[in-house]
Amino acid sequence: MKAISLMYHDICDNVDTSGFAGADAALYKISSAEFSAHLTAISEKIKEKPSRVSDLNENKMPIFITFDDGGNSAMQAAEMLEKKGWRGHFFITTSRIGAETFVGREEIIELHRRGHIVGSHSDSHPLRMASLSRQEIFNEWQISTEKLAEILGEKITVASVPGGLYSKTVAECAAENGIEFLFNSEPT
């Protein structure tokens, strides 16, 4: 299926207040003013609201808005989307749940309750996931989907590959763990 996916990480004015810290992670973060401008530009260009994987329609090309890592700015991003009547996909690095700059259990439940899609971004966020052994890749998906399923009380079927390092093995292991929709990126 062809789709357009606009991938974000953290929406924050101080780059080390949400998600992973450091210069490399800062490349993927934008300010709340920039994100607001993005939402305005998007809304001016598209006729329908962005899709959720749970609402796919075979007759149109879906547009998704996604957030990787599970930084605590997810709640601010969700509020900004909701003001437009939109929902997003939030991919959680489960080993970081409850860490200082990441979402906790209650925020994950709240995102889900408010109609956003919550999915896996692996357990430990390996920088080069495809370079891991098959068993290590399988474990990353298994641990993360089990943790999220325990929090939300339902099967996790959506994920995003950390670092965008996709391979057939990464996809196979995701599918073996119940992932039906796997997002990927090509870092530039």
Side-chain angles (χ1 to χ4, degrees):
M1 157 192 319
K2 288 190 174 192
I4 296 170
S5 182
L6 304 174
M7 179 192 68
Y8 294 91
H9 282 69
D10 297 289
I11 311 305
C12 53
D13 297 320
N14 178 339
V15 296
D16 286 338
T17 60
S18 181
F20 292 103
D24 288 341
L27 297 171
Y28 296 96
K29 300 178 183 197
I30 64 173
S31 71
S32 55
E34 289 172 307
F35 186 57
S36 180
H38 283 209
L39 295 180
T40 298
I42 294 165
S43 67
E44 290 172 354
K45 296 290 181 189
I46 64 173
K47 294 176 183 163
E48 297 182 32
K49 65 183 178 181
S51 302
R52 296 178 305 169
V53 294
S54 58
D55 303 328
L56 290 179
N57 177 339
E58 293 180 20
N59 298 321
K60 69 173 189 164
M61 182 185 309
I63 298 172
F64 302 111
I65 298 179
T66 70
F67 300 87
D68 282 358
D69 297 343
N72 61 17
S73 69
M75 301 312 292
Q76 178 184 4
E79 289 172 15
M80 294 174 79
L81 289 173
E82 290 165 12
K83 285 181 182 174
K84 294 203 167 287
W86 298 354
R87 298 298 182 270
H89 297 72
F90 292 85
F91 299 113
I92 311 298
T93 304
T94 55
S95 68
R96 301 296 181 124
I97 294 172
E100 184 178 348
T101 57
F102 290 85
V103 292
R105 292 175 62 90
E106 294 306 315
E107 289 89 359
I108 292 168
I109 292 167
E110 183 66 12
L111 286 168
H112 179 68
R113 187 192 67 74
R114 288 161 53 177
H116 299 279
I117 302 294
V118 174
S120 168
H121 196 48
S122 79
D123 183 52
S124 70
H125 197 285
L127 293 178
R128 303 187 63 74
M129 192 161 183
S131 67
L132 301 177
S133 72
R134 180 179 240 308
Q135 188 61 53
E136 290 170 318
I137 295 168
F138 182 89
N139 291 347
E140 285 288 334
W141 292 131
Q142 181 180 43
I143 293 166
S144 65
T145 56
E146 286 178 357
K147 284 180 182 178
L148 290 170
E150 185 274 322
I151 291 169
L152 297 176
E154 64 184 48
K155 179 180 167 187
I156 302 302
T157 61
V158 184
S160 174
V161 180
L165 194 58
Y166 176 86
S167 72
K168 182 178 177 184
T169 303
V170 168
E172 289 171 350
C173 290
E176 290 166 16
N177 280 287
I179 301 298
E180 299 172 10
F181 300 95
L182 184 61
F183 286 76
N184 186 41
S185 62
E186 294 183 19
T188 58

